[in-house]
Amino acid sequence: MTSSHSSTQFSDTISAIVEDHVMLITINNPPVNAISASVRQGLMVALDWIETSDAVQGVVISGAGSTFVAGADIKEFGQPVTEPTLPQVTERLAGFNKTIIAAVNGAALGGGAEIAIACHGRVASGRSSFGMPEVKLGLVPGAGGTQRLPRLIAADLALDMIGTGRTLKSAESLEIQLIDELADEDTLITRAKNASLKPAAKRVTPHYDAQKFANIKTAILRKSRGQNAPLKAVELVELSQQLDLSQGLSQERQIFLQLRDSDEAKALRHVFFAERSAKKPAMLEGVSPKDIKILGVVGMGLMGSGIIVSALNAGYQVIGVEQTEEAALAGHQHILSILEKNLQSGRLNTDAFERQKKALTIAGSLESLGVADLVIEAVFDDFNVKVKLFQALDQIVRASAILATNTSYLNPNEIAAATLYPQRVIGMHFFSPAHIMRLVEVIHTQYSSLEAVASGFAVANKLKKLPILSGVVEGFIGNSIFSAYRREAEFLLEDGAYPHEIDAALEDYGFAMGLFAVYDMAGLEIAWAKRKREALNRDPQLRYVKIADQLCELGRFGQKSGLGWYQYVNGKREIDPVVTELIDAARREKNITPQSFTKEQIQQRLLQAMQTQGNLLMQNKIAASASDIDLVMINGYGFPAHKGGPMFAGGMLN
Ligand code: T1G
């Protein structure tokens, strides 16, 4: 402990100053004031000091910078535990003999929220937010949150926060009495100090709506899909209404320690840090992106409209272009309907709604794109159509402008090579619906300048997307792995498994929906058209399963035609004996004696297929890392995050 006449340092990350009989403790552990061992030790030493000090009558705890405390230091998980533990710190705060007020100056997440809740009162700024995101890390709050929060706010609201991990803004936190006072930035500390000089408020546990509690519980359990942490979160919040505080806290501790070392928690920690490292690709280190202000989007169909909505939401000026005025108007209507939905759902306030509408210009010709800094094309996925478009744009946009193709399967190298300035061409592969799906594969062609790639990456970040860099190969990272896993699934059909068995194995593993059910939902005809295009060049030596083609030849294109891999009776998915017979016939034709497969065997074969393709993508420098591949499959193809992604699940990152 070091002290100067003004401030005392209780550890590297904990400093304090005494003013007007109040000690103001600041947690300063950049970048987000995570609760490291130094923070815990510093807080305990500070409390020891205060306990014996007559000069101090009240205590205020706040965070340095724009974050209050973003929770326990996730980097410490998996390491040996260093005392004091966070539960010991929150226990001390809650039972302290002088009033302690949390001055919540920003995000109070996980252990950060638990520190604030263990304090005797909370004064927060408009910038503050509260969240218990532990379930997103395969955990439950482990420092009293599951027991103290349901005693501070209504238990149904506590269950919602802890079971979903959602973050509450300051207004809602005040409404539900999670905070006592809302202050603006300048008066936050003063008002907290005043509150700390009063006796700790006597709190009565608010009543809660049992029906709402039951509904929230059902929703959490339904969404958990094999994850353990949400189930434990529900269990602990229920226990908070049955046990006394200390019994509840020891239950929480036990369950927290079990979950902390679980595979689920390790997988979700991997995903957490994978997302952070994907933000800083080595290839773009030190490369400054262009300053993109005006975005052009050509093609205002489903994908184009989604991209435009994301761009408006991110504050860009947007020019939407369609081949004809009617098509442009239709696209405009669709975009307005999405914005109106966002307004009605409260995702947008009226000012933002009006601002976004004004930021969009639509046109029936390309001429209006001369002012665009970046143009993204989302037109029909045909090579000639895209090349003709980019060649036209070459004559319209500035030489410094960037052109991005949203192709899923075409070769961006060949598209770029056909333009005047190939170095300014990149790929930006969005996923449908583009205003909802987070993933964007940012494609660097053999010609792309690093500046162009960095600019596409920066735009995707500003769109609040998860950009992942990919080189050029057919289907880039996501679709090439998806093709490998689909192929293996079709091999499994011939080898003895049926679509419903494979889908059951995938849903058991944690996928929201099995592969064949997804197929039927998306429609079988697009992939069929692609297979027919490829048929001429297909290597006859390679194993090929004809069943999907046979389904399409029979006009079975999926859910919309009522028949696909399954039959849909009154919209309900059912096994179809016609498909079973098609599969049996395919086996007989190839003299394959069907085997029976366990769920685990099916899961392993499909995972192996994804990992093999993943390794190939890394060897060929298409994917920069295995964790990038995991993020693509989790955010674009429904791979369960609590398994960490195919590469992590394959032990390639353990
Ligand atoms: N521990 C360690 N490092 C963290 C961290 C944490 N809790 N949170 C962020 N970082 C690092 C991150 O890796 C990155 O590092 C840098 O900070 C900036 O993060 C007992 C057990 C706060 C909303 O789940 O959600 O408390 O890459 O890029 O976009 O009950 O970070 O620069 O080296 O994300 O501005 C619960 C996790 C923990 C919150 C800021 N807490 N963090 O977002 O920056 S479990 C959380 C976030 C817990 C207790 C339990 C976000 C953020 P680097 P960033 P951002």
Side-chain angles (χ1 to χ4, degrees), residues 72-149:
D73 187 340
I74 305 169
K75 293 193 186 79
E76 287 187 358
F77 290 149
Q79 320 282 333
V81 175
T82 318
E83 299 248 327
T85 63
L86 188 52
Q88 289 166 336
V89 173
T90 51
E91 184 72 16
R92 184 91 187 277
L93 292 169
F96 204 64
N97 64 356
K98 295 177 183 174
T99 303
I100 306 182
I101 301 295
V104 185
N105 58 304
L109 303 174
E114 290 172 296
I115 285 179
I117 291 162
C119 292
H120 305 120
R122 285 146 295 282
V123 179
S125 73
R127 197 179 53 202
S128 69
S129 62
F130 274 82
M132 296 269 189
E134 284 86 346
V135 282
K136 296 180 183 170
L137 290 167
L139 302 168
V140 290
T146 67
Q147 303 305 305
R148 291 200 178 92
L149 185 64

Side-chain angles (χ1 to χ4, degrees), residues 180-233:
D180 309 311
E181 283 180 61
L182 204 48
D184 55 39
E185 310 304 332
D186 308 339
T187 59
L188 175 68
I189 298 299
T190 312
R191 289 173 69 166
K193 283 167 66 178
N194 297 344
S196 75
L197 293 171
K198 300 185 187 115
K202 290 270 172 290
R203 294 183 189 277
V204 180
T205 303
H207 292 293
Y208 71 95
D209 177 328
Q211 187 50 55
K212 261 171 90 186
F213 190 101
N215 298 345
I216 293 167
K217 174 180 173 181
T218 309
I220 291 168
L221 299 183
R222 195 181 45 244
K223 272 189 85 181
S224 65
R225 276 208 304 278
Q227 281 186 72
N228 198 16
L231 311 189
K232 292 297 176 189

Side-chain angles (χ1 to χ4, degrees), residues 509 604 607 611 630 639 643-654:
Y509 189 76
Q604 270 319 310
L607 273 177
Q611 289 147 11
D630 286 333
F639 195 101
K643 298 287 182 179
M647 308 310 278
F648 180 85
M652 285 146 192
L653 285 144
N654 289 357

Side-chain angles (χ1 to χ4, degrees), residues 480-557:
S480 75
I481 291 188
F482 185 74
S483 303
Y485 139 65
R486 175 189 49 74
R487 211 173 19 253
E488 190 62 30
E490 291 182 359
F491 292 166
L492 273 164
L493 290 180
E494 282 189 342
D495 296 347
Y498 289 103
H500 65 278
E501 292 170 330
I502 295 171
D503 283 356
L506 288 166
E507 286 159 21
D508 174 74
Y509 189 76
F511 282 81
M513 194 185 268
L515 178 70
F516 295 101
V518 170
Y519 246 146
D520 275 356
M521 205 171 59
L524 310 189
E525 66 280 19
I526 297 170
W528 187 37
K530 181 171 174 294
R531 288 194 303 275
K532 283 197 281 188
R533 279 198 305 273
E534 292 163 351
L536 296 173
N537 316 324
R538 190 171 300 125
D539 175 349
Q541 301 310 313
L542 282 182
R543 182 178 180 180
Y544 184 74
V545 179
K546 289 190 297 187
I547 303 165
D549 298 343
Q550 292 166 326
L551 290 179
C552 293
E553 283 145 17
L554 292 168
R556 304 175 66 103
F557 296 122

Side-chain angles (χ1 to χ4, degrees), residues 371-393:
V371 294
D373 303 307
L374 166 71
V375 178
I376 303 171
E377 67 75 15
V379 299
F380 184 60
D381 213 12
D382 174 89
F383 182 75
N384 297 325
V385 170
K386 291 189 191 280
V387 165
K388 215 159 130 267
L389 168 62
F390 273 15
Q391 289 172 339
L393 287 170

